[in-house]
Amino acid sequence: MALVHETLILLLLTFSTWCFSTSISTNSSTTTSLAKLPNATTAKPKRLVTKLIHQRSVHHPHYNQSETAKERIELDIQHSIARVTYLHARIEDNSSASGTLAYETLVFETSDEGSIQIPNIEFGCGRDIVYNNDPGYNGILGLNNAPMSLASQIGHKFSYCIGSLADKSSNYNQLILGEGADLEGYPTHFQALRGMYYITMEGISIGERRLDIAPATFEIKENGAGGVIIDTGSTLTYLPDDVQNLLYKEVRNILGGSFRKVIIETYPWLYCHLGVVSRDLVGFPVVTFHFAQGADLALDTGSFFEQLTDSVFCMAIGPVSATGLDNRSSVIGLLAQQSYNVGYDLVNQIVYFQRIDCQLLSG
């Protein structure tokens, strides 16, 4: 990476009120405003809380009121494919970036109208990022376990809570950085490789039925392929082709002949049917991703399906081959993490899944 070290002072960024037109890895903009630099105390904040605003939200600065559900989902697919392609490029060590790396002082307002100043935070401005052609964001907030990521520099712990992305008026999605992050729920260990979080996936169930998937399906191979990455930059989830087909076969058995199949010419790998999720899939069994140490991620119909149009819904699980890359890593996307608070302990390499209404954590 061609990087230049500079010393800069960043004006006060308050994660509180107004939308700032930059986005984090969830394709969301952080809520922020600018103010005069006060006499701030120097310390690492124990708990830094910021709202997350997804691009579908009416609170997003670039919200498009005229955009249809189909257009939103097509953008989700484009962003997801771009993101997964970028992740795979990193696995193969084919990604690169050049720009400016700075040491900056971040100053945050506190809830009691005070402020905290954090000096010498490394902060980059990328100008040429190879294999990152996603137009959906103009910046990334680094949350991996590398020393330069904001998560590592502030406190080695973070958590995020994502509600329903279909609820355009929701204002309760949030990110917490620092030792005060919400680490609750069922834990499972992760492995950090090339700046990505791999978790051990042991199987998938639909209702009480466990799918017949070979244990080695989700293992990391010697060449770096395989494994399961948990990610917020991809909206959709991508699984090995045979697993996606097996999952859809079970879905078809449950749906029976009541729903006519629909082929989407642009994305023929999408499994779609005529119907309305909220009306026609009441009682559809929960789809559960099973991880090591007994942790589960339960997907209800709002997380497992997406309403493409007023009369067509699709399974929000794609095959890895849809990205143009065969036999690569699976990626658990943002839709699958709805209705969960997901917490990361970077020191002990543990991720926590807590199913919860994000509004309960917003205080």
Side-chain angles (χ1 to χ4, degrees):
M1 298 173 66
L3 298 170
V4 179
H5 286 263
E6 299 176 352
T7 302
L8 303 175
I9 297 293
L10 186 68
L11 289 180
L12 177 65
L13 294 179
T14 355
F15 292 94
S16 59
T17 310
W18 302 105
C19 294
F20 186 54
S21 58
T22 189
S23 39
I24 69 166
S25 55
T26 59
N27 286 335
S28 310
S29 68
T30 50
T31 319
T32 183
S33 62
L34 295 176
K36 294 181 179 179
L37 189 67
N39 294 323
T41 59
T42 302
K44 281 189 177 181
K46 182 179 179 182
R47 182 182 173 92
L48 177 62
V49 183
T50 175
K51 290 183 181 296
L52 298 178
I53 303 177
H54 194 268
Q55 61 188 10
R56 298 181 185 179
S57 171
V58 296
H59 305 290
H60 196 280
H62 301 302
Y63 172 70
N64 184 355
Q65 188 174 4
S66 63
E67 190 175 61
T68 66
K70 184 178 180 181
E71 289 171 336
R72 284 194 294 272
I73 293 177
E74 287 179 344
L75 282 175
D76 283 343
I77 294 172
Q78 293 170 20
H79 295 327
S80 297
I81 290 176
R83 173 65 175 174
V84 174
T85 302
Y86 169 68
L87 294 178
H88 288 156
R90 291 187 62 178
I91 293 171
E92 297 175 351
D93 201 25
N94 288 331
S95 65
S96 63
S98 62
T100 301
L101 182 64
Y103 290 101
E104 302 183 347
T105 296
L106 301 185
V107 183
F108 300 95
E109 286 185 351
T110 61
S111 57
D112 59 358
E113 299 184 357
S115 58
I116 294 179
Q117 178 175 302
I118 312 175
N120 299 321
I121 294 290
E122 290 184 89
F123 201 91
C125 178
R127 296 189 177 89
D128 183 15
I129 304 176
V130 178
Y131 275 106
N132 187 20
N133 299 317
D134 187 351
Y137 55 81
N138 59 6
I140 298 176
L141 179 63
L143 294 176
N144 64 23
N145 70 330
M148 285 175 53
S149 81
L150 190 60
S152 295
Q153 293 184 78
I154 287 185
H156 300 286
K157 292 179 183 178
F158 69 91
S159 61
Y160 53 83
C161 191
I162 305 297
S164 172
L165 299 185
D167 183 358
K168 295 184 290 185
S169 62
S170 175
N171 201 27
Y172 300 110
N173 300 336
Q174 67 176 15
L175 167 71
I176 302 177
L177 296 169
E179 293 299 314
D182 290 326
L183 304 184
E184 302 287 344
Y186 294 97
T188 187
H189 282 90
F190 67 77
Q191 185 177 6
L193 297 173
R194 297 171 289 272
M196 295 169 282
Y197 297 120
Y198 286 80
I199 52 181
T200 303
M201 194 165 181
E202 297 184 338
I204 300 174
S205 297
I206 300 185
E208 299 298 321
R209 176 176 170 76
R210 185 92 168 215
L211 300 185
D212 186 14
I213 302 173
T217 301
F218 300 115
E219 292 179 356
I220 302 175
K221 310 301 188 290
E222 290 184 2
N223 63 357
V228 177
I229 300 168
I230 182 168
D231 184 64
T232 56
S234 173
T235 304
L236 273 64
T237 290
Y238 290 88
L239 298 175
D241 290 35
D242 55 346
V243 174
Q244 190 228 16
N245 289 330
L246 183 62
L247 192 55
Y248 177 64
K249 182 179 179 181
E250 188 64 26
V251 169
R252 283 288 293 162
N253 289 338
I254 296 171
L255 295 180
S258 304
F259 298 87
R260 195 175 79 187
K261 187 174 180 180
V262 177
I263 303 297
I264 309 300
E265 293 184 4
T266 314
Y267 305 105
W269 48 266
L270 266 181
Y271 289 132
C272 304
H273 292 270
L274 286 177
V276 178
V277 173
S278 60
R279 181 192 67 200
D280 301 327
L281 297 185
V282 175
F284 189 90
V286 171
V287 177
T288 306
F289 294 165
H290 303 288
F291 304 104
Q293 291 91 50
D296 288 336
L297 197 59
L299 284 64
D300 57 21
T301 54
S303 297
F304 188 70
F305 297 101
E306 276 213 281
Q307 195 70 44
L308 182 66
T309 69
D310 290 342
S311 58
V312 176
F313 67 87
C314 304
M315 199 170 79
I317 309 288
V320 171
S321 63
T323 65
L325 302 165
D326 296 324
N327 302 317
R328 297 302 179 188
S329 301
S330 300
V331 176
I332 297 176
L334 193 62
L335 274 175
Q337 301 174 60
Q338 291 180 119
S339 303
Y340 273 88
N341 181 74
V342 184
Y344 293 78
D345 180 341
L346 304 186
V347 174
N348 296 303
Q349 296 193 320
I350 298 175
V351 59
Y352 296 81
F353 296 114
Q354 179 189 25
R355 190 169 183 86
I356 193 171
D357 183 346
C358 297
Q359 186 174 354
L360 300 177
L361 300 176
S362 63

